[in-house]
């Protein structure tokens, strides 16, 4: 009987949870637009950015993972990520990223402003420029804490890409 009671409570709790729409956690197939997620709109979920040309992207919230695929001539700010940020098959872009793990593959002529707490992994990319993270927005410190990139006192973990 205890198991049946637990299952009923679990089903009731799940039905009370709001359903998430995957389309709310992606920017896809856009040209020449400014695309933005404000604090609280992503709230630790995975985020996908794909097939963008000449766009400006701001994800001003914390995430658990971000993938960026096939983007050109775009500028992106990706708020704190407690997992991995993957950048793949992008050209002539600028990225500002704070994350636990950073990976690239097939980037060409990109600028990356980076804060990462593990050693970055750079594969088959060329003409990259790395600079220290330079991002700011209201709530960034709280999101850095939520992503585990700073401790409870706000002290950041060492940046593995300082130069």
């Amino acid at each position: 009987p205890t198991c049946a009671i637990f299952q009923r409570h679990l089903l009731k709790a799940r039905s009370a949870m709001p359903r998430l729409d995957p389309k709310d956690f992606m920017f896809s197939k856009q040209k020449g637009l400014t695309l933005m997620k404000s604090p609280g709109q992503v709230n630790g979920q995975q985020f996908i950015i794909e097939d963008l040309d000449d766009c400006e992207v701001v994800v001003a919230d914390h995430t658990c993972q971000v993938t960026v695929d096939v983007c050109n001539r775009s500028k992106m700010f990706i708020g704190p990520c407690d997992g991995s940020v993957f950048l793949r098959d992008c050209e002539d872009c600028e990225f500002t990223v704070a994350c636990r793990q950073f990976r690239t593959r097939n980037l060409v002529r990109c600028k990356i402003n980076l804060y990462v707490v593990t050693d970055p992994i750079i594969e088959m990319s060329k003409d990259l420029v790395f600079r220290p993270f330079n991002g700011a927005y209201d709530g960034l410190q709280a999101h850095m804490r939520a992503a585990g990139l700073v401790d409870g006192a706000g002290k950041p973990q060492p940046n593995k890409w300082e130069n």
Side-chain angles (χ1 to χ4, degrees), residues 1-15:
T2 304
C3 187
I5 292 169
F6 175 75
Q7 287 178 340
R8 280 196 303 271
H9 285 289
L10 183 60
L11 287 173
K12 185 176 180 181
R14 283 187 182 159
S15 66

Side-chain angles (χ1 to χ4, degrees), residues 59 61-66 76-87 95-103 112-118 131-137 140-141 143-150 156-157 159 161:
V59 180
D61 205 349
H62 67 103
T63 59
C64 67
Q65 177 176 299
V66 177
M76 301 186 199
F77 177 91
I78 299 170
C81 178
D82 70 2
S84 298
V85 172
F86 299 95
L87 308 179
F95 302 95
T96 299
V97 177
C99 61
R100 181 164 311 283
Q101 182 186 59
F102 180 80
R103 299 183 68 121
I112 302 161
N113 307 301
L114 183 61
Y115 174 85
V116 62
V117 298
T118 61
R131 301 180 288 213
F133 180 78
N134 62 353
Y137 64 89
L140 176 62
Q141 190 67 20
H143 292 155
M144 293 286 279
R145 192 174 295 113
L149 303 180
V150 298
Q157 294 186 33
N159 188 356
W161 198 282

Side-chain angles (χ1 to χ4, degrees), residues 53-64:
D53 291 321
D54 303 301
C55 288
E56 289 191 26
V57 172
V58 176
V59 180
D61 205 349
H62 67 103
T63 59
C64 67

Side-chain angles (χ1 to χ4, degrees):
T2 304
C3 187
I5 292 169
F6 175 75
Q7 287 178 340
R8 280 196 303 271
H9 285 289
L10 183 60
L11 287 173
K12 185 176 180 181
R14 283 187 182 159
S15 66
M17 294 172 57
R19 293 270 184 220
L20 299 178
D21 185 345
K23 289 181 272 179
D24 292 336
F25 303 98
M26 67 173 21
F27 294 137
S28 182
K29 299 178 180 159
Q30 301 294 324
K31 293 183 185 217
L33 296 177
T34 297
L35 306 165
M36 181 165 196
K37 290 293 181 181
S38 299
Q41 290 186 303
V42 180
N43 203 24
Q45 298 295 316
Q46 175 180 338
F47 204 84
I48 297 169
I49 301 168
E50 61 187 8
D51 299 313
L52 303 183
D53 291 321
D54 303 301
C55 288
E56 289 191 26
V57 172
V58 176
V59 180
D61 205 349
H62 67 103
T63 59
C64 67
Q65 177 176 299
V66 177
T67 57
V68 179
D69 292 299
V70 193
C71 294
N72 299 290
R73 299 169 309 280
S74 295
K75 187 173 183 176
M76 301 186 199
F77 177 91
I78 299 170
C81 178
D82 70 2
S84 298
V85 172
F86 299 95
L87 308 179
R88 300 177 290 225
D89 303 308
C90 298
E91 291 189 19
D92 300 307
C93 292
E94 182 174 345
F95 302 95
T96 299
V97 177
C99 61
R100 181 164 311 283
Q101 182 186 59
F102 180 80
R103 299 183 68 121
T104 73
R105 188 185 71 224
N106 287 340
L107 296 189
V108 178
R109 294 179 306 277
C110 292
K111 297 176 184 170
I112 302 161
N113 307 301
L114 183 61
Y115 174 85
V116 62
V117 298
T118 61
D119 291 328
I121 299 168
I122 314 299
E123 298 175 347
M124 302 181 332
S125 297
K126 64 181 183 177
D127 299 324
L128 304 182
V129 174
F130 285 89
R131 301 180 288 213
F133 180 78
N134 62 353
Y137 64 89
D138 286 341
L140 176 62
Q141 190 67 20
H143 292 155
M144 293 286 279
R145 192 174 295 113
L149 303 180
V150 298
D151 65 20
K155 181 181 176 197
Q157 294 186 33
N159 188 356
K160 295 288 187 167
W161 198 282
E162 288 285 346
N163 297 321

